[in-house]
Amino acid sequence: MDLKKIMADLEAKNPGQPLYLQAAKEVLETIEEFVNANPKYDQYAIVERLLEPERIVKFKVTWVDDKGKIQVNRGFRVQHNMAIGPYKGGLRFHPTVTEDTMKFLAFEQTFKNSLTTLPMGGGKGGSDFDPKGKSEAEVMRFCQSFMTELQKYIGPDTDVPAGDIGVGGREIGFMFGQYKRLRGEHVGTLTGKGLEWGGSLIRPEATGFGAVYFLEAMLKTAKDKLKGKRVAISGFGNVAWGTALKLAELGANLVAISGPDGYIIDEEGISAPEKIAYMDELNATRNNVVEPFAKKFKSAKFVKGKKVWEVPCDIAMTCAIQNELDEKDAKLLIKNGVKYVVEVSNMGCTAGAVAALQKAKVSFAPGKAANAGGVATSGLEMTQNAAHISWTAKEVDAKLHEIMNNIHENCVKYGKEKGGYINYPKGANIAGFIKVADAMIAQGVAY
Ligand code: 2IT
């Protein structure tokens, strides 16, 4: 493959989409050598085909706010690749959502879902709707309007959305209700459902649990231990919450969490059940501020307007949003002795940050590997729905753990370099690519 030419064509075809170009470039640079060593991929133009989403649906979402004013938002669903299973991926409601955001996330999702070992293709959707400050009735009206359009394009064997930033159990409930009303079917078209109506145990915790299982595997490979390690994470949403729960259970010392308003440092550690439960409570308000945490717990201090990456730590985990850790942050973390950086948000680090971390031989896990536990557990929810059964928490957790260990093994298999350093992004991208690429070849020139 001619990387330069492919990137130049991609830039020309996708003007004003820096996130998509960033995600694509990272993958292309890491699979180049592998693709060139296996000529069948060029022969079938797999790379060029993977760079074009199979379908992008873009639609208008109108709704009436509590004051009776009509609001207009944009809705999206990017159906990126269906080679190994129905499109699968979350819905994000956040003011930063654009077609670019959706395309990068759907592209990442295809590789991530392939890594899970489960039969799921890649998709992503969402809206620029901002849940901040909206009443429950407004959120419900928005979700109903959004689903009225989206339902034309999804189904349990075609495309199965779930949550992401701004979309939790409440929003999935409103959307599921509307889907059921319009289609007259109670099926597993959405994951992240409530337990009483088709949801899976452990799904709310799964992204964070999976990331910590992945981290444990990284530590084990480096002959190191999680217990007592000083950890800083960004965010206080669903993903940060699950991460904090598992870190506490395994004896790590979580000292910092963050929000868009600044960060919280708590030298007593954020491991007490009431502290972690309060993260979830704060998130549920959708007010996007972490400051109240310091008002509630005496040992916690709020640092306004600063990034959490200035806190000295052994382990840093991004649990908020894309590009939240940049090159400057990476260099400060390195200076302060960081050993492991785990992307739990999708593309949490900028390309400059990843390069700096790898140059300093910091062990770095990309989101598509480390955060795959969320979608993997969604895959387990789909299986339970299709078979009309429900597994126990222990059963789901054991499967999740096994999946994360498997992803880690695959990263090591394809990412281990001569000196022993593990290039996790390379390993994840190659392992994810192989399954999708080979399925595309087997299925002929379909997409
Ligand atoms: O980024 C992700 O993998 C998710 N938001 C979860 C997607 C899913 O289908 O559970």
Side-chain angles (χ1 to χ4, degrees), residues 88-92 105 109 112-113 120 124 160-165 191 203 207 346 371-372 374-379:
K88 179 82 197 90
L91 297 169
R92 176 176 294 189
L105 288 164
Q109 199 80 41
K112 182 195 313 193
N113 293 3
M120 300 182 290
K124 196 85 187 191
V160 183
D164 193 83
I165 297 170
T191 60
R203 178 63 190 90
T207 310
N346 292 305
N371 75 25
V375 74
T377 308
S378 278

Side-chain angles (χ1 to χ4, degrees), residues 86-337:
Y87 305 112
K88 179 82 197 90
L91 297 169
R92 176 176 294 189
F93 293 169
H94 196 267
T96 59
V97 164
T98 59
E99 187 173 315
D100 182 28
T101 325
M102 298 285 100
K103 273 172 74 178
F104 113 69
L105 288 164
F107 178 79
E108 291 278 293
Q109 199 80 41
T110 292
F111 290 85
K112 182 195 313 193
N113 293 3
S114 167
L115 283 171
T116 65
T117 68
L118 303 176
M120 300 182 290
K124 196 85 187 191
S127 173
D128 59 358
F129 173 77
D130 187 357
K132 189 174 171 179
K134 301 291 189 296
S135 71
E136 185 167 288
E138 287 175 326
V139 170
M140 182 172 76
R141 286 196 293 275
F142 173 80
C143 287
Q144 290 179 337
S145 183
F146 181 83
M147 183 51 84
T148 301
E149 186 63 23
L150 185 69
Q151 59 91 21
K152 297 173 188 168
Y153 311 100
I154 61 174
D157 296 317
T158 49
D159 185 351
V160 183
D164 193 83
I165 297 170
V167 178
R170 178 182 69 168
E171 291 75 18
I172 292 292
F174 294 153
M175 288 190 273
F176 184 81
Q178 184 73 350
Y179 179 89
K180 196 190 63 179
R181 169 157 73 166
L182 292 166
R183 304 272 287 247
E185 322 170 318
H186 194 297
V187 290
T189 305
L190 291 163
T191 60
K193 299 185 290 297
L195 274 182
E196 305 80 4
W197 38 281
S200 174
L201 284 159
I202 306 290
R203 178 63 190 90
E205 296 88 345
T207 310
F209 278 22
V212 178
Y213 293 148
F214 193 91
L215 168 67
E216 262 197 310
M218 291 170 83
L219 285 151
K220 199 170 157 205
T221 306
K223 302 199 169 30
D224 203 350
K225 282 207 164 58
L226 182 58
K227 209 170 168 59
K229 287 275 183 316
R230 214 176 137 86
V231 188
I233 69 178
S234 57
F236 63 100
N238 165 268
V239 170
W241 166 78
T243 302
L245 268 179
K246 192 49 87 178
L247 286 171
E249 188 191 319
L250 299 178
N253 182 23
L254 174 62
V255 291
I257 60 173
S258 79
D261 51 336
Y263 71 85
I264 296 286
I265 177 145
D266 187 342
E267 290 293 349
E268 271 181 21
I270 301 168
S271 58
E274 62 273 18
K275 284 184 183 170
I276 299 175
Y278 189 61
M279 285 171 75
D280 205 27
E281 250 179 71
L282 267 182
N283 178 37
T285 66
R286 298 257 188 273
N287 281 333
N288 269 345
V289 284
V290 78
E291 186 177 5
F293 195 97
K295 296 209 172 90
K296 191 161 168 83
F297 300 105
K298 270 210 179 75
S299 53
K301 202 177 111 207
F302 176 64
V303 181
K304 194 176 170 172
K306 288 278 172 63
K307 281 174 151 184
V308 71
W309 314 126
E310 68 181 29
V311 175
C313 59
D314 305 304
I315 299 167
M317 302 175 85
T318 67
C319 301
I321 201 163
Q322 68 270 4
N323 289 336
E324 51 172 313
L325 195 161
D326 63 21
E327 190 174 340
K328 217 170 112 223
D329 302 323
K331 287 186 170 153
L332 184 56
L333 281 165
I334 294 164
K335 193 173 139 231
N336 287 334

Side-chain angles (χ1 to χ4, degrees), residues 10-18 21:
L10 201 67
E11 278 164 28
K13 269 191 177 175
N14 299 278
Q17 302 199 336
L21 294 171

